[in-house]
Amino acid sequence: MVDMIARALREYTKEEVLEVLHPAVAMWFDSKFSTLSPPQRYAIIPIHEGRNVLVTSPTGTGKTLTAFLSIISELLEMGERGDLEDSIYALYVSPLRALNNDIYRNLEVPLREIREFSPDLPEIRHSVRTGDTPTSERAKQLKKPPHILITTPETLGIILTAPKFKEKLRTVKWVIVDEIHSLVENKRGTHLSISLERLRWLVGRDFIRIGLSATINPLDEVAKFLVGFEGGRPRDCLIVETNWAKSLDLALLSPVEDLVNTPSEVVSEKMYELISELIRKHTTTLIFTNTRSGTERVVFHLKKVLKDSVEGVDEKIAAHHSSLSRLVRKDVEERLKRGELKAIVSSTSLELGIDIGYIDLVIQIGSPKSVTRALQRIGRAGHRLHDVSKGRFIVVDRDDSVEVAVMLREALHGRLDKVHIPRNPLDVLAQHIVGMAVERKWKVKDAYKLITSAYPYADLSLEDFKSVLRYLSGEYTQLEGRKVYGKIWYDPSDETFGRRGKYARVIYATNIGTIPDEVAVRVYTKDGKYVGNLEEDFLERLMPGDRFILGGKVYEFISSRGLKVKVKPAFDQKPTVPAWFSEMLPLSYELAIEIGMFRRKVFQMLEEGIEGEDLVKTIMEMSNANEMAATAIYNYLRQQYLYLKSLGVDLEDMPSHRVILVESYKDENGRIYQITHSLYGRRTNDALSRALAYISGKKVRRNLGIVVKDTGFAIIYPRGIKPAAILSDLVGLDLKSTLREALAKTELLRRRFRHVAARGLMILRNYKGHEISVNKQQISAQSLLKIVEKIEGFPLLKEAYREIMEDYMDVKRAEEVIRGISMGEIRVVDIGLVRVPTPFAHNIVLEGLSDLIFMEDKMSALRRFQGEIEKIISQMRENNSS
């Protein structure tokens, strides 16, 4: 059987490429570019030949032009033959409206300049259509459609049901999916995958699919996501992988040698000195933090540190994150493109490929938690093809230093984490079934065939599909009391369904999308200028006179009314940084395993007597770390090793990817922290810890606290209660069933059920032109949850559990861990109660105290732990020498 997913091996010359292009396109390209970029050498001719292509290559290597060259060429040829109608031939889909606007501007130049070579050429029209597109522009597009339409996944879903405009899509020959790496891992991508199959059904034939991606893995799976299935097999796709196209210059830096005993203010001061020095040495620096609050904090401190050395520092350093208004973000992006900024600080909002001009250095503060994300962020530096992507990773935490050390090694060897693609989300399915029913009457078998052609639904069961039809058709009459009515009709006897009611089209078009509504409070100055958003739970804690940072500036809280806050500038006064709602990025499973192996290797070297400068030097070579970072890693791992030795733990029982160490520690209040060193990443640990806490809680008849980290977790037992179970006690249990019971009454389930119910059109976000507040949505969700819990197999409740267990957590990896324990491949070693928690446990224990103590108190607790451990190690050495 021929492999439908293949790697591109044939490299084409510039002459060969120019030969297949329209003469005017070839002349324009030849005048602009002396050579082909790597993706252009491999992908232009296959696209010209009509093949589906997935291109993965770093930022600045010409991916977008690779996709468009053949399309523009063929459109010109069609125009010259008289075959170019007022219709849409190429769709460009990206997740960002800002990127869509960039693409529109970037296409204008070649389309204009190509016609300058030959003025008689037909005009190729292109335009953008998103939620921001005015009604007048939409009407213009219907009257005279663009040949190239630039849009978002959500807008594509809407225009597929627009009675007149969808007819303009029947001529589509090419679909470009840009930034596909940012779509495959979430429900926006799932939604798009069905939209592409619905488009395929509308067109009545295959069209050419072109995926553009930064670094991603595994490529075969992403390719299948792009092209979908036909007759149970993936359609053909050629993978063009040119991630080697740009050189990397990566280094791990620590501002101090001792990350524990150095006072916090000194660590902070040295870190900002280090960052400032790097900023001064470079033209424009992009700094990534992992949270929005971190972004604001860094901007605030950098302005203070650089005020004497950077003229007009307030205007030359800016914040960019999703809680800032679109106008503020747009202004920052434009100033960056014009080269007016010396440094820009972002959380995740500048990861994707919007054009931000020239960046010559990327700084990452803390761990980005995955090799793939690290490479995507660093790829923003050195935008031109032959530039080096230069990245500096700054760590001020011992766990982060080990993480990043391993991450850089993996990055330099091109070993990437695996992408997680949600499978069979029933809420997205429900939304599309309503959209399909709006179009026409369907036979169940035809609709099922269409849906299972989309890769995320390739193994969707017919029973699950029909359960969604039953829900949407209003079969569950007990929901009518909560104003949940049927949106389709479904006839099980002849297996058909279609639209019910005149509002079905409006409900679908105004409630489409997968991004959940979050409660955000809008912040305005006294004179009515919109500043940005705060989370509602933060607002509840604010008192008049409190000061906080937003957009890199300090504001004083005056008053609030409803979801609107009034503030005044507080200038140089000391702020209180808002606790932004921003989930920390989870460590990837693959990287966690590599960290476990790295720890094990260092322990082995310590066992063999390799210490001091020799081991520090080895760590520097393994990880591109500076001497201070390597020394911090060495001291951390050495202390863990020696302390475990003092407790009588042999090398083979020390924590690694194959050994789960369990220790218990009693705090000053008599609570016992049972710490499990399971280095599998937070998503896996979340599943393991909740299941273990649930079965332990049932045994002791108490609710138990949980602390979850990437490197392990702690179950917190109340005073007087001893630990009742360890991970090996989960062997033999159905982990999914146990987790389902554990999640049943949690806030997590209530919140996720609201999201799923909104996506599945059970709770409407917009009805008859009226926005339904998030507060009302949440109240509806809570009452609906009580009803559907009594309905066996209700699809949206089933999806809420699936989303939590498979997307938010990683129940499959957790099951692998339990299976590994049962087969003896992973050992659980319980060393019982220890007087002082081991160094690897410090961050886990202190996380449990984080609600009770301030940062400086946490550091003093850390120093106290370390001091006690050093005394124990010294005593052991004295005993050994005597």
Side-chain angles (χ1 to χ4, degrees), residues 571-840:
F571 303 108
D572 293 331
Q573 297 181 66
K574 193 174 178 181
T576 306
V577 176
W580 300 103
F581 174 78
S582 180
E583 293 179 357
M584 288 289 289
L585 301 164
L587 181 70
S588 71
Y589 177 82
E590 290 80 16
L591 188 54
I593 294 295
E594 290 297 329
I595 293 165
M597 292 167 74
F598 176 81
R599 285 177 171 183
R600 175 79 183 167
K601 187 172 183 179
V602 174
F603 289 157
Q604 182 72 49
M605 293 170 83
L606 287 165
E607 185 85 0
E608 292 166 4
I610 303 168
E611 300 192 81
E613 286 182 13
D614 290 341
L615 191 42
V616 169
K617 196 173 177 184
T618 302
I619 292 168
M620 288 174 71
E621 289 167 359
M622 287 166 71
S623 60
N624 277 32
N626 72 349
E627 192 170 351
M628 284 196 284
T631 303
I633 293 167
Y634 166 72
N635 288 335
Y636 183 36
L637 298 185
R638 176 179 171 274
Q639 194 182 59
Q640 175 78 15
Y641 169 81
L642 291 175
Y643 183 42
L644 285 176
K645 278 285 190 184
S646 77
L647 297 172
V649 179
D650 293 328
L651 176 68
E652 57 269 20
D653 290 340
M654 292 188 182
S656 72
H657 60 300
R658 292 291 182 207
V659 177
I660 295 172
L661 188 80
V662 182
E663 62 179 282
S664 298
Y665 164 72
K666 188 183 287 188
D667 72 9
E668 293 163 356
N669 299 312
R671 301 185 304 173
I672 291 182
Y673 286 70
Q674 184 196 46
I675 302 128
T676 301
H677 296 280
S678 49
L679 188 45
Y680 302 111
R682 190 164 352 126
R683 290 177 59 229
T684 304
N685 284 339
D686 209 337
L688 292 171
S689 62
R690 282 178 190 265
L692 183 58
Y694 180 69
I695 66 163
S696 302
K698 282 210 299 187
K699 286 182 181 180
V700 300
R701 297 182 181 180
R702 296 286 185 94
N703 285 330
L704 304 177
I706 305 173
V707 175
V708 183
K709 300 283 279 183
D710 291 306
T711 55
F713 60 86
I715 310 293
I716 306 172
Y717 286 83
R719 187 187 182 106
I721 307 283
K722 291 181 180 178
I726 57 175
L727 269 188
S728 47
D729 292 314
L730 293 177
V731 172
L733 295 178
D734 182 328
L735 189 61
K736 282 184 180 172
S737 299
T738 305
L739 266 178
R740 192 181 171 97
E741 290 173 28
L743 290 165
K745 303 296 177 189
T746 61
E747 282 299 322
L748 180 59
L749 178 68
R750 283 194 273 271
R751 182 167 165 264
R752 292 284 169 154
F753 179 72
R754 186 193 97 220
H755 296 172
V756 166
R759 283 189 210 102
L761 306 180
M762 189 181 197
I763 294 170
L764 299 182
R765 293 180 283 189
N766 187 302
Y767 185 61
K768 294 184 179 178
H770 298 289
E771 294 284 335
I772 312 298
S773 73
V774 177
N775 190 41
K776 284 184 178 176
Q777 289 179 40
Q778 189 62 45
I779 292 166
S780 296
Q782 287 174 354
S783 57
L784 285 168
L785 183 55
K786 289 174 185 170
I787 297 169
V788 300
E789 280 173 333
K790 296 169 186 168
I791 302 173
E792 190 176 344
F794 187 76
L796 296 190
L797 181 57
K798 181 177 179 178
E799 172 53 26
Y801 279 112
R802 188 214 62 79
E803 181 183 296
I804 293 169
M805 288 195 267
E806 294 182 16
D807 301 344
Y808 177 74
M809 299 176 186
D810 191 344
V811 71
K812 290 179 180 173
R813 297 289 196 193
E815 286 173 330
E816 283 178 25
V817 172
I818 301 303
R819 199 177 305 118
I821 293 170
S822 72
M823 296 174 71
E825 294 168 357
I826 298 172
R827 291 188 303 115
V828 180
V829 177
D830 189 352
I831 60 172
L833 197 65
V834 293
R835 186 159 61 88
V836 188
T838 67
F840 285 0

Side-chain angles (χ1 to χ4, degrees), residues 482-621:
R482 299 300 315 163
K483 298 182 179 177
V484 178
Y485 303 107
K487 293 162 185 70
I488 67 169
W489 58 262
Y490 167 47
D491 185 345
S493 59
D494 72 346
E495 295 282 271
T496 53
F497 69 90
R499 179 180 71 185
R500 175 196 281 189
K502 58 183 178 180
Y503 287 115
R505 185 186 301 279
V506 176
I507 286 171
Y508 172 75
T510 55
N511 289 274
I512 200 168
T514 60
I515 301 169
D517 292 332
E518 295 290 355
V519 179
V521 183
R522 294 171 73 82
V523 180
Y524 295 86
T525 57
K526 283 194 295 185
D527 56 5
K529 184 186 173 189
Y530 173 48
V531 180
N533 291 349
L534 291 177
E535 300 305 325
E536 193 174 21
D537 61 349
F538 177 66
L539 170 63
E540 290 169 359
R541 294 195 296 271
L542 280 182
M543 300 285 287
D546 281 351
R547 294 179 296 275
F548 57 90
I549 294 179
L550 191 56
K553 295 176 181 174
V554 186
Y555 294 95
E556 183 177 310
F557 175 65
I558 300 170
S559 63
S560 71
R561 187 176 180 182
L563 296 179
K564 191 173 177 179
V565 168
K566 195 184 290 182
V567 298
K568 65 180 181 182
F571 303 108
D572 293 331
Q573 297 181 66
K574 193 174 178 181
T576 306
V577 176
W580 300 103
F581 174 78
S582 180
E583 293 179 357
M584 288 289 289
L585 301 164
L587 181 70
S588 71
Y589 177 82
E590 290 80 16
L591 188 54
I593 294 295
E594 290 297 329
I595 293 165
M597 292 167 74
F598 176 81
R599 285 177 171 183
R600 175 79 183 167
K601 187 172 183 179
V602 174
F603 289 157
Q604 182 72 49
M605 293 170 83
L606 287 165
E607 185 85 0
E608 292 166 4
I610 303 168
E611 300 192 81
E613 286 182 13
D614 290 341
L615 191 42
V616 169
K617 196 173 177 184
T618 302
I619 292 168
M620 288 174 71
E621 289 167 359

Side-chain angles (χ1 to χ4, degrees), residues 249 278-279 281-286 342 357-362 378 380-383 387-391:
D249 174 4
L278 288 166
I279 289 171
K281 286 180 179 175
H282 294 84
T283 306
T284 310
T285 301
L286 171 57
K342 187 70 179 165
Y358 181 71
I359 302 284
D360 53 346
L361 175 68
V362 169
I378 298 308
R380 303 299 273 152
H383 197 86
D387 291 341
V388 173
S389 288
K390 186 175 183 180

